[in-house]
């Protein structure tokens, strides 16, 4: 019997259409799930696929309510004995955030694999079919049970925590800065996290503020009074100006500091503001995902430090 995989489609370039043969100027999130799966040669030989259209959008329009809906659907379906694994198709722009959110909120050992594409379905050499085939193969493999959410892209498989989009156009744009492939992640995920989306309607608001020379501290002040927490994409190992430091020290909301460099850790030991939590190796957008979930449980700095050490 073939493994039974549920394909949850959310849109993105993998479902994009435009002028035949062109790789730019297309509309993201336009084909339905059955169409994306239907054109992949050999896909029905390796798995029995059931499709669910969760939404069909450009992933820059992803929202917290869709994230919560997606995690809940996976949680509900995973309890059914006739489902062996899940594939989520997604736009590449924010794929890493959704994958990490699911990694922290789905409560199943069954494989959950996220994928997308850099070229639309109407390209003369689309990468979507190959990525989708790889994702279904990974979701159908018993070897990927209990590994947390994975990202399948351009022939490689990454833990959700590590996958990032690091190029605007390359076919292997979604990759890992740590170079880790699936199986290397030692952080807690899925069934062993403390996060529960079953009663959630929305997530706390957490903007990411990017520091650059002469960045206006008024941005910090504005963010502090209009959100539940702040993530800083600091320079270097999580640094910023004296002006930002004084603004951040006055913040009444939790502050997490990450780095705009794209690789390497930000350490708690080097935090200059007493109320700041270091993001560790999490990149700014992912630090915002974790802070949003963490704020559903606590606002305490010590607890937030523990959470950022754990996930
Ligand atoms: N803008 C597209 C999206 O994220 C890009 C892609 O899918 O590659 O939906």
């Amino acid at each position: 019997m073939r493994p039974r995989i549920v394909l949850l489609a959310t849109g993105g370039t993998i479902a994009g259409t435009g002028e035949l043969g062109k790789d730019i100027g297309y509309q993201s999130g336009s084909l339905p799930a059955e169409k994306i799966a239907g054109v992949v040669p050999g896909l029905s030989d390796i798995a029995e696929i059931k499709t669910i259209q969760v939404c069909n959008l450009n992933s820059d329009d992803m929202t917290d309510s869709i994230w919560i809906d997606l995690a809940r659907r996976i949680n509900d379906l995973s309890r059914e004995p006739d489902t062996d694994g899940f594939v989520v198709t997604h736009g590449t722009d924010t794929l890493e955030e959704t994958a990490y959110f699911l990694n922290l909120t789905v409560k199943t050992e069954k494989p959950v694999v996220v994928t997308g594409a850099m070229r639309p379905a109407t390209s003369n050499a689309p990468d979507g079919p190959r990525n989708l085939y790889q994702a279904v193969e990974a979701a159908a493999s018993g070897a990927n049970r209990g590994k947390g959410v994975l990202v399948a892209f351009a022939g490689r498989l990454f833990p959700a925590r590590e996958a990032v989009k690091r190029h605007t156009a390359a076919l292997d744009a979604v990759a890992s800065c740590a170079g880790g492939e699936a199986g290397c992640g030692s952080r807690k995920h899925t069934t062993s996290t403390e996060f529960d989306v079953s009663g959630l309607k929305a997530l706390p608001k957490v903007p990411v503020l990017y520091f650059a020379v002469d960045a206006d501290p008024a941005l910090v002040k504005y963010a502090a009074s209009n959100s539940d927490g702040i993530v800083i994409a600091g320079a270097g190992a999580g640094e910023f100006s004296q002006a930002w430091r004084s603004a951040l020290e006055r913040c009444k909301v939790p502050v997490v500091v990450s780095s705009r460099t794209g690789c390497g850790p930000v350490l708690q030991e080097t935090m200059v503001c007493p109320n700041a939590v270091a993001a560790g190796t999490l990149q700014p957008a992912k630090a915002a995902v974790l802070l949003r979930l963490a704020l559903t449980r606590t606002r305490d700095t010590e607890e937030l430090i523990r959470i950022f050490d754990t996930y």
Side-chain angles (χ1 to χ4, degrees):
M1 208 170 82
R2 292 167 301 165
R4 290 146 306 182
I5 303 301
V6 177
L7 167 63
L8 299 124
T10 69
T13 296
I14 194 166
T17 57
E19 201 181 318
L20 276 184
K22 288 262 169 69
D23 289 346
I24 53 168
Y26 57 88
Q27 195 196 328
S28 206
S30 94
L31 288 179
E34 317 82 72
K35 274 267 167 59
I36 316 174
V39 299
V40 183
L43 196 66
S44 54
D45 298 335
I46 58 166
E48 191 183 309
I49 314 251
K50 177 177 155 193
T51 57
I52 297 178
Q53 193 75 49
V54 176
C55 56
N56 210 355
L57 41 76
N58 182 330
S59 75
D60 302 292
D61 293 318
M62 186 49 67
T63 64
D64 56 348
S65 61
I66 300 174
W67 278 350
I68 292 167
D69 175 41
L70 188 55
R72 280 205 201 132
R73 285 184 196 241
I74 294 175
N75 288 341
D76 291 346
L77 289 163
S78 69
R79 286 190 278 274
E80 292 178 8
D82 63 350
T83 303
D84 298 305
F86 301 88
V87 168
V88 176
T89 54
H90 201 285
T92 58
D93 288 351
T94 64
L95 184 153
E96 66 208 61
E97 288 156 73
T98 299
Y100 186 50
F101 174 79
L102 294 176
N103 190 53
L104 296 168
T105 54
V106 297
K107 299 293 167 203
T108 180
E109 299 263 303
K110 293 178 181 176
V112 179
V113 184
V114 188
T115 195
M118 291 300 291
R119 291 179 181 161
T122 42
S123 160
N124 56 17
D127 55 331
R130 177 183 181 231
N131 288 347
L132 184 54
Y133 188 95
Q134 189 208 342
V136 169
E137 213 174 24
S141 163
N144 289 324
R145 279 182 69 92
K147 283 199 179 162
V149 174
L150 302 172
V151 172
F153 218 88
R156 298 173 72 195
L157 199 56
F158 304 100
R161 190 182 191 278
E162 284 185 22
V164 282
K165 186 171 185 179
R166 53 175 197 176
H167 197 281
T168 56
L171 288 181
D172 61 353
V174 178
S176 154
C177 128
E181 299 229 11
C184 326
S186 56
R187 301 289 186 127
K188 284 190 177 180
H189 54 71
T190 56
T191 52
S192 51
T193 78
E194 60 208 90
F195 306 115
D196 177 11
V197 292
S198 59
L200 279 185
K201 283 203 171 60
L203 292 175
K205 257 172 83 174
V206 172
V208 176
L209 300 185
Y210 192 101
F211 175 75
V213 170
D214 281 337
D216 192 341
L219 292 172
V220 174
K221 221 172 139 195
Y222 176 84
S225 45
N226 289 283
S227 53
D228 304 297
I230 301 174
V231 169
I232 303 295
E239 304 208 26
F240 32 77
S241 60
Q242 293 291 344
W244 267 39
R245 178 177 173 173
S246 1
L248 284 167
E249 280 174 357
R250 282 196 293 271
C251 279
K252 298 268 184 307
V253 297
V255 174
V256 170
V257 179
S258 59
S259 170
R260 66 181 204 184
T261 59
C263 280
V266 171
L267 304 174
Q268 192 61 41
E269 296 73 33
T270 61
M271 291 296 94
V272 284
C273 302
N275 57 342
V277 175
T281 51
L282 279 182
Q283 301 212 359
K286 281 189 178 153
V289 172
L290 182 55
L291 182 55
R292 295 181 82 181
L293 280 169
L295 290 172
T296 63
R297 301 190 61 84
T298 184
R299 285 173 48 97
D300 178 74
T301 308
E302 288 311 311
E303 266 295 280
L304 291 171
I305 291 173
R306 177 191 64 76
I307 286 173
F308 273 81
D309 269 350
T310 309
Y311 304 105

